[in-house]
Amino acid sequence: MNDLVRQHSALDESDLEWLHLLVSEWQLLSDLSFADLVLWVPTRDGTRYVSVAQMRPNTGPTSYQDDMVGHLVPRGRRPLLDAALDEGRIVREGDPEWREEVPVRVESIPVRRDGRVLGVIARNTNLLTVRTPSRLELTYLQSASDLAQMIAAGSFPFPGEQTDMDASPRAGDGLIRLDADGMVQYASPNALSAYHRLGLASDLVGQHLGRTTDELAPVHGPVDEALVKLASGYAPRQTEVESSVGVIQLRAIPLKPKGDRIGSLVLLRDVTELRRRERELMTKDATIREIHHRVKNNLQTVAALLRLQSRRIDSAHGRAALNEAVRRVGSIAIVHETLSQNLDERVEFDEIADRVLAMVAELSPAGAVTCRRTGRFGILDADVATPLAMVLTEVLQNALEHAFGPGERGKVEVSAVRGEGPAGAGRGGVRNGERPEGRLLITVRDDGRGLPPGFDPKRAGNLGLQIVRTLVEGELGGAFDMVRAPEGGTQVVLDIPVAASK
């Protein structure tokens, strides 16, 4: 619509905003009218009309099989459009048109804003299935007539009212027609069922909707005047009313076809089951977070017990083995702590990587070794983050333990590239110059003493490397390699498939 209006018409941005507001609301007019709506805007030179928007009814058959948006018609071909635009009134004169053997009643409604007619809505009703209307259909048609007069007068839609039309009740969900005093003149079967779900034991017709709604809401004490006024339709508002047995969503639309309020439309929807499912999901989310929190606490307890035990062992090898276990348990605890703070099973792994770096550096026997991270890991699923945290812990621990001697200075750098691989990364499933999509490539590089001659990471019996190989190749479905870095030291390359970051 933006492109069509800007290309063909002389309307400014504020006029375009008004048309957007109208189009966001006119599904209601289409449903109440049982008719198709097409919005026509005069072109800049005034010789033609361009159709910029179209709406089909949910309550009846369409009168247009084709999409009308973008069509241009010369002025004079459709006299009802000319009369509505020139005279600023709703035009209903004329006999039905025949389209593909289907009679169609055509009406034109001027779209007014600040005293100016911006365009014309052509309302097209398929008359093929016309029969004696029911009370519901008569109420629909009368309400549609009132809304059409408000559009022609420039008082509908309501400026400043922010309505989410996807979540807002529609005419078919439930409709109540009120008089000027807020008394119910008509309630559709769906509307009556919704109020019965809320706890009403009688009929709605003849009752004051505001007071009835307030009595059903579980509020003890003074009358909720705001709820009474809203349900009485005094102003365009939307809210939810909840009792002990049900929840309904209300939207009030004052009807002022001639300037004064003659009554109101109240659209409503029974959202009891929807809210119940939302609460169940919230409860499940809270339970999952609590489980992660408790797992983290238990892992920290295990790590503390291992740390206490290591202090009581005289054997240096025993203490080293327990300290390695402490680090492994700690890396898993970090992931569960992060998961306990999220609403889904996905984590921002950069924070986890930084904490693993700090933990390994703190517990390392090496001297003044600087650890830093470059690049971004991004958001990872929990089933990737947990083993990856363990892998990162083992690789870093191996670098700090074997690359540097006591008191030696050096640096360890962890770089992560999401979605593309570094050129010349070496072996391990990463070819020179290749930049694969949907991959996470991690390089851990140190400037230490390097690998011993003849070292083969695929056959090394070190427990840490065995854990890395098992997790990377088996659980993560990736590739692992350890080579001599070009500038000296050791370089570990991890190539892991990951889901797209959202």
Side-chain angles (χ1 to χ4, degrees):
M1 186 169 75
N2 287 348
D3 294 340
L4 289 170
V5 169
R6 289 167 181 157
Q7 179 183 356
H8 294 285
S9 79
L11 301 180
D12 58 26
E13 291 300 317
S14 60
D15 294 332
L16 182 56
E17 280 299 314
W18 182 262
L19 294 183
H20 274 293
L21 186 59
L22 172 65
V23 168
S24 71
E25 294 275 18
W26 71 344
Q27 178 71 65
L28 175 62
L29 177 62
S30 178
D31 290 345
L32 294 176
S33 304
F34 308 98
D36 291 75
L37 305 179
V38 179
L39 177 57
W40 297 91
V41 173
T43 57
R44 190 174 288 105
D45 58 8
T47 61
R48 295 181 296 175
Y49 298 95
V50 57
S51 58
V52 298
Q54 179 178 358
M55 178 59 66
R56 290 184 170 91
N58 294 319
T59 52
T62 182
S63 56
Y64 282 113
Q65 298 301 321
D66 300 324
D67 190 353
M68 295 297 296
V69 175
H71 283 215
L72 289 163
V73 297
R75 184 178 173 89
R77 178 174 296 179
R78 301 195 177 184
L80 297 186
L81 294 182
D82 299 339
L85 183 69
D86 296 339
E87 302 172 22
R89 65 180 180 88
I90 299 175
V91 182
R92 297 189 176 94
E93 296 88 351
D95 297 326
E97 297 181 3
W98 286 85
R99 300 174 186 167
E100 299 180 357
E101 300 183 355
V102 175
V104 177
R105 182 174 62 242
V106 181
E107 304 167 89
S108 295
I109 305 168
V111 178
R112 192 183 303 273
R113 174 178 178 265
D114 295 337
R116 298 163 43 239
V117 177
L118 307 182
V120 179
I121 294 176
R123 182 163 56 177
N124 303 266
T125 306
N126 187 324
L127 300 178
L128 194 60
T129 58
V130 169
R131 53 184 172 77
T132 303
S134 65
R135 178 74 187 280
L136 181 145
E137 291 169 334
L138 289 173
T139 303
Y140 272 31
L141 292 172
Q142 180 59 54
S143 302
S145 176
D146 294 336
L147 286 177
Q149 293 182 60
M150 292 170 65
I151 292 173
S155 57
F156 186 83
F158 302 108
E161 185 192 13
Q162 298 296 324
T163 303
D164 183 359
M165 296 309 298
D166 291 333
S168 181
R170 300 196 176 193
D173 297 324
L175 179 142
I176 297 175
R177 174 88 185 211
L178 307 178
D179 65 14
D181 297 322
M183 307 299 290
V184 178
Q185 293 180 316
Y186 174 79
S188 71
N190 285 347
L192 188 59
S193 296
Y195 264 83
H196 286 167
R197 183 69 177 267
L198 205 61
L200 181 68
S202 60
D203 194 3
L204 272 173
V205 175
Q207 297 198 40
H208 189 279
L209 187 66
R211 289 194 290 269
T212 300
T213 304
D214 180 68
E215 292 171 359
L216 294 172
V219 177
H220 302 287
V223 173
D224 188 344
E225 295 293 343
L227 179 60
V228 171
K229 288 186 176 181
L230 188 149
S232 301
Y234 286 98
R237 295 288 186 272
Q238 184 166 311
T239 190
E240 283 190 5
V241 179
E242 182 173 359
S243 71
S244 59
V245 292
V247 185
I248 61 173
Q249 191 177 33
L250 292 178
R251 184 191 177 197
I253 302 174
L255 297 176
K256 304 176 181 179
K258 297 181 180 179
D260 296 327
R261 192 175 69 86
I262 63 169
S264 305
L265 277 183
V266 177
L267 306 178
L268 62 149
R269 176 192 297 161
D270 182 357
V271 293
T272 304
E273 293 303 315
L274 177 62
R275 296 296 176 258
R276 182 185 61 81
R277 289 194 295 269
E278 288 177 351
R279 291 190 183 101
E280 287 180 353
L281 290 175
M282 292 176 62
T283 301
K284 290 179 181 178
D285 288 339
T287 301
I288 291 171
R289 290 198 299 271
E290 179 63 21
I291 289 172
H292 284 303
H293 181 70
R294 294 191 181 191
V295 170
K296 182 264 297 183
N297 288 344
N298 291 338
L299 290 172
Q300 288 180 339
T301 301
V302 171
L305 292 173
L306 292 173
R307 198 176 294 113
L308 287 173
Q309 187 66 41
S310 70
R311 294 171 184 170
R312 296 175 177 270
I313 293 180
D314 296 331
S315 169
H317 292 293
R319 284 197 301 273
L322 288 176
N323 286 334
E324 287 184 6
V326 168
R327 283 187 287 272
R328 289 164 184 154
V329 172
S331 65
I332 301 174
I334 290 172
V335 177
H336 282 282
E337 181 179 4
T338 305
L339 288 169
S340 69
Q341 301 169 2
N342 292 346
L343 293 176
D344 54 17
E345 290 291 288
R346 311 190 78 201
V347 295
E348 176 62 64
F349 197 81
D350 294 324
E351 177 186 351
I352 294 175
D354 292 339
R355 295 180 63 180
V356 168
L357 273 168
M359 178 188 67
V360 173
E362 180 183 354
L363 299 176
S364 172
V369 177
T370 302
C371 298
R372 74 187 187 103
R373 172 182 62 87
T374 61
R376 290 192 69 251
F377 288 84
I379 297 175
L380 299 178
D381 293 333
D383 56 358
V384 174
T386 302
L388 183 57
M390 175 76 80
V391 167
L392 193 58
T393 301
E394 295 298 331
V395 172
L396 290 170
Q397 171 60 27
N398 188 75
L400 293 173
E401 183 176 345
H402 298 290
F404 308 101
E408 289 184 359
R409 293 180 176 272
K411 63 179 181 180
V412 177
E413 179 178 308
V414 178
S415 66
V417 180
R418 185 73 175 263
E420 60 177 9
R427 298 181 295 168
V430 184
R431 299 175 183 175
N432 290 346
E434 188 180 59
R435 297 181 181 274
E437 297 296 326
R439 313 289 294 189
L440 174 60
L441 289 111
I442 306 164
T443 304
V444 180
R445 185 181 297 109
D446 66 68
D447 60 354
R449 63 189 66 169
L451 297 174
F455 178 81
D456 186 356
K458 303 295 184 183
R459 299 183 179 179
N462 179 284
L463 176 61
L465 291 181
Q466 290 180 8
I467 292 174
V468 170
R469 284 199 303 271
T470 300
L471 292 177
V472 172
E473 298 175 357
E475 188 163 345
L476 294 174
F480 155 72
D481 199 5
M482 178 182 285
V483 297
R484 182 179 294 275
E487 64 276 14
T490 304
Q491 178 174 287
V492 176
V493 179
L494 306 173
D495 178 11
I496 301 170
V498 292
S501 180
K502 296 180 180 179

